[in-house]
Amino acid sequence: MSEGLAHGGSHDGGYPVGDHGSGQGDPAAPLLRLRGAGVRFGPVQALRAVDLSVHRGERLALVGANGCGKTTLLRLLHGLVPCSDGVREAVRQGPSARPPSMAMLFQRPFLLSLSVRANVVLGMWLRGVPQPERAARCESALQRVGLAHLARRAARELSGGQQQRLALARAWALQPEVLFLDEPTASLDPSAKREVETLLAEVAADGTTLVMSTHNLGQAKRLATRVVHLEGGRVMADLPVQAFFSGEVPEATAQFLRAEREWG
């Protein structure tokens, strides 16, 4: 399933909560919440007893060693995998009492054998964006990521950095309230990483809530307002970014930071 094509909502046996009145609902209420959430894949317990809330306008970075559960947590928050234990809650908002709209960028973007423009338009068609809105949204999204001049180019002919920017445009065109990103710059060169980070900062400035996994602590410092450290499927620390990097943290998190700094 490609970026932005998975529809957000409560698919896991959890239940939706929150404001059912007008407007955007209670600004202090979380958009998403996990309570004692666990995920099991056969004999493997990928996540254990996770309590976590995501609030509007946050930029949340998930960090930890390979296999710690970052990607599973992203997918659980999105609703792509169900809870084995506990509950996932999505706050319903506005007159239609709908859950927040969501989109996701995967580490390696999946692009169809179509043009750049068609990849963006198809995402909107699958999400149900009205046809009269698609052309303008597509043009705007491609302009913002600097790919409008390549709209007719085959998407799979783009460079790695351009493909990730196209994936971001495809998600951006859906106008999600929450954007999930799984290692969005992991396979990119330094120049392409800077371009994508700049675009993510612009997405956040527009008010989109970001939840991203990253192995790059510098990236977490630059982009996040809050950092969650995972180890063995458990949340070890959940702190504002400044406290995470400069304050007192649990010993497991301190060991992780020391190890990353030594390797970095």
Side-chain angles (χ1 to χ4, degrees):
M1 188 171 292
S2 60
E3 293 74 18
L5 305 191
H7 181 66
S10 256
H11 312 296
D12 50 22
Y15 50 91
V17 298
D19 183 84
H20 290 257
S22 60
Q24 294 296 316
D26 180 0
L31 294 173
L32 299 165
R33 180 162 53 208
L34 302 177
R35 292 182 174 179
V39 173
R40 181 182 291 276
F41 300 114
V44 178
Q45 188 76 41
L47 291 175
R48 304 168 184 268
V50 175
D51 294 315
L52 185 71
S53 296
V54 178
H55 291 80
R56 185 177 301 281
E58 283 193 308
R59 303 190 302 276
L60 177 60
L62 310 178
V63 301
N66 286 332
C68 69
K70 299 188 299 295
T71 298
T72 301
L73 181 52
L74 284 175
R75 291 173 177 268
L76 176 61
L77 285 166
H78 194 305
L80 298 178
V81 298
C83 287
S84 303
D85 307 292
V87 293
R88 168 190 178 272
E89 302 168 334
V91 177
R92 293 188 180 273
Q93 304 175 359
S96 61
R98 61 171 179 77
S101 59
M102 295 175 277
M104 185 165 179
L105 263 68
F106 299 99
Q107 187 174 142
R108 294 182 179 178
F110 176 79
L111 301 175
L112 299 174
S113 298
L114 300 168
S115 70
V116 165
R117 183 183 185 279
N119 269 270
V120 177
V121 172
L122 180 62
M124 289 186 284
W125 174 72
L126 289 171
R127 179 58 70 88
V129 174
Q131 193 276 335
E133 297 180 23
R134 294 175 201 163
R137 282 204 200 184
C138 178
E139 177 67 19
S140 176
L142 291 178
Q143 287 283 358
R144 296 196 73 169
V145 303
L147 294 177
H149 65 295
L150 298 177
R152 296 179 181 275
R153 177 81 60 87
R156 291 182 176 178
E157 293 179 1
L158 301 178
S159 69
Q162 289 172 329
Q163 288 190 9
Q164 194 67 310
R165 283 155 54 196
L166 173 55
L168 182 56
R170 183 163 56 189
W172 208 337
L174 300 179
Q175 301 176 355
E177 293 168 86
V178 186
L179 178 59
F180 298 99
L181 307 107
D182 189 10
E183 297 280 353
T185 63
S187 59
L188 304 183
D189 61 43
S191 176
K193 285 182 180 180
R194 287 193 295 272
E195 290 175 351
V196 171
E197 284 191 12
T198 297
L199 290 170
L200 292 179
E202 292 180 12
V203 171
D206 283 348
T208 304
T209 301
L210 301 184
V211 184
M212 63 181 290
S213 66
T214 181
H215 280 289
N216 187 327
L217 293 182
Q219 186 172 79
K221 283 184 179 180
R222 290 188 293 273
L223 293 178
T225 58
R226 176 179 158 211
V227 183
V228 168
H229 171 223
L230 292 165
E231 184 176 289
R234 295 183 182 275
V235 173
M236 298 289 104
D238 181 354
L239 295 165
V241 63
Q242 184 173 0
F244 185 86
F245 288 107
S246 303
E248 292 187 8
V249 296
E251 180 56 28
T253 300
Q255 291 179 7
F256 165 74
L257 290 172
R258 284 195 295 269
E260 289 296 304
R261 286 162 180 159
E262 287 173 4
W263 282 104

